[in-house]
Every structure is written in C-alpha cells, then in structure tokens.
Amino acid sequence: MDNPDPSAHPDTSSSRALGNIALVGLLLFSFVAVAVQALRGDLDWLDAPLSFYLLDAYGHWLQTAYIVLALALASLGAGYYLALRDGRHSAAPWLLFVCAGVGLCTTALAHSNLPGRAPTLEGFVHGIAAQTAFLCVSVAMLLQSWWLRANPRWRSRFAPAFALALACFAGIWVDALWHGMPRGLEQRLVIALILAWLLLAANWLRCQRAA
C-alpha cells in the first residue's frame, strides 16, 4: 500500500515514543549542562572544556546528564530504525549512536587530565572515550541522514539533516586540528551544532505523520 498511515503501522507508536524519550533526554542534558556551567564561577567557560565541569562541585549532576544523553542517543537510533522499516534502512546508525553513548558514559566516569598535573591512565581513557563519542555520533548523524534519502516518507528531511550533520562532522575535525579560538568556546560551538541536529531529529521522529 502506498503512503500508509503511520499511526496504523505497528512500529510507529514505538518510534514516536522513542522520539519523545530522546527529546526529553536531550533537553535535560542541555538544561543541566548550562546550569552547571552557570554555577561554576571558578571556571571560565570560554577556556575550560566541558570535561572540567565533571569534576568537583556539581560534577555528579553533569555525570548523570551525560548518562541521560547516552540513553537519548540509543533511543533516537532505535526510533529511526523502527520508523524506516517500511523502506531501505540500516542498523549501522543505531549501533553508532549506542557506541557514542558508551563513550559518553566512559567520559563521564573517567576523570580528565588537568593542566599542571601529571597525565594519568584515567585521563587517557577519558580523552579516548570523548573523541570516540564525538566521532561515532557525527558519523551516525551522517549515515542516518543519508538513509532518510532512501525513504519516500522521509526524503524531504534529507537535505537539512545531511547539511547540518556535515557541518557537525567538519566542526569536529576543525576542533581537533585547529585551535584558533578559546578551547572552551570552540568545543561548545561543536556541541551546540550536534545538539541542534539531535533535537531536530528527535522532534521529527515524535511528530512523524503520513506523507
């Protein structure tokens, strides 16, 4: 049947619910991250990476928010896997979102290295996990955007999704290779781009309807 009513599709209610879960998780992470940075007057947000806010005062709040974000990523990936089952789709974006979530949880629980202190194995693990999370989520966003193109009901979402995902992917590499602005500001711009894509994708998922 052409253009089936998604409300009648057995996977639609589940994918919508997963979209709602993802959206709530993303909003909670954003709120907590902003709140913790506002409360930490001892750190300059322009220079201090977000990892520094995982330590000391209010660090447990942000650690919890990272874990909530990891669950949101897994929910988003699962939601799109279900939503695209009536056409060409792949589990690869979902698996990459899960890998990014694992990286986020590891990043939250392993303390980063601090300036003026000797590097530690824990700090090395933190750094590798953070880079893994960034890389996996950016590739997942690109792949998920590309698969939208292959589905008639989602094809109109492809152009904005892929363009924003491409900007995020480029931003991650710029952040890694070029340090022409304060470290904290550069990182937050990349995080803001990623959150923009994730929030947009979660909202599309929860509001899906027939073409």
Side-chain angles (χ1 to χ4, degrees):
M1 179 182 295
D2 292 333
N3 297 329
D5 180 358
S7 63
H9 196 286
D11 292 323
T12 299
S13 60
S14 296
S15 63
R16 281 177 171 163
L18 288 165
N20 282 318
I21 292 170
L23 186 63
V24 170
L26 291 164
L27 292 173
L28 282 173
F29 169 79
S30 301
F31 174 79
V32 172
V34 171
V36 168
Q37 290 176 84
L39 291 168
R40 290 292 302 273
D42 58 315
L43 293 174
D44 182 357
W45 68 272
L46 288 173
D47 291 316
L50 198 58
S51 295
F52 288 6
Y53 291 84
L54 290 164
L55 309 174
D56 302 324
Y58 311 108
H60 292 308
W61 291 12
L62 191 56
Q63 285 178 323
T64 302
Y66 269 55
I67 294 170
V68 169
L69 178 58
L71 293 174
L73 292 178
S75 298
L76 188 69
Y80 272 99
Y81 182 75
L82 291 176
L84 298 177
R85 287 190 71 175
D86 58 346
R88 295 176 60 195
H89 70 296
S90 169
W94 183 10
L95 293 175
L96 284 166
F97 279 128
V98 170
C99 288
V102 172
L104 279 171
C105 292
T106 306
T107 300
L109 298 176
H111 291 177
S112 64
N113 290 320
L114 294 174
R117 299 186 185 179
T120 64
L121 176 60
E122 187 177 17
F124 175 77
V125 170
H126 173 95
I128 293 297
Q131 293 303 319
T132 298
F134 272 121
L135 186 60
C136 285
V137 76
S138 64
V139 175
M141 288 157 51
L142 283 169
L143 287 178
Q144 191 64 82
S145 300
W146 186 257
W147 280 109
L148 296 180
R149 177 176 173 271
N151 190 294
R153 191 156 59 86
W154 289 88
R155 190 170 295 146
S156 63
R157 308 295 194 188
F158 163 71
F162 191 77
L164 186 53
L166 196 60
C168 293
F169 186 77
I172 286 172
W173 285 103
V174 169
D175 179 56
L177 301 174
W178 180 73
H179 303 297
M181 65 175 68
R183 182 76 180 113
L185 176 60
E186 191 173 44
Q187 185 193 69
R188 281 160 181 77
L189 289 174
V190 174
I191 293 173
L193 278 174
I194 292 172
L195 284 174
W197 188 97
L198 293 172
L199 287 165
L200 188 63
N203 190 57
W204 284 343
L205 192 61
R206 65 182 290 273
C207 296
Q208 60 183 297
R209 63 176 186 268

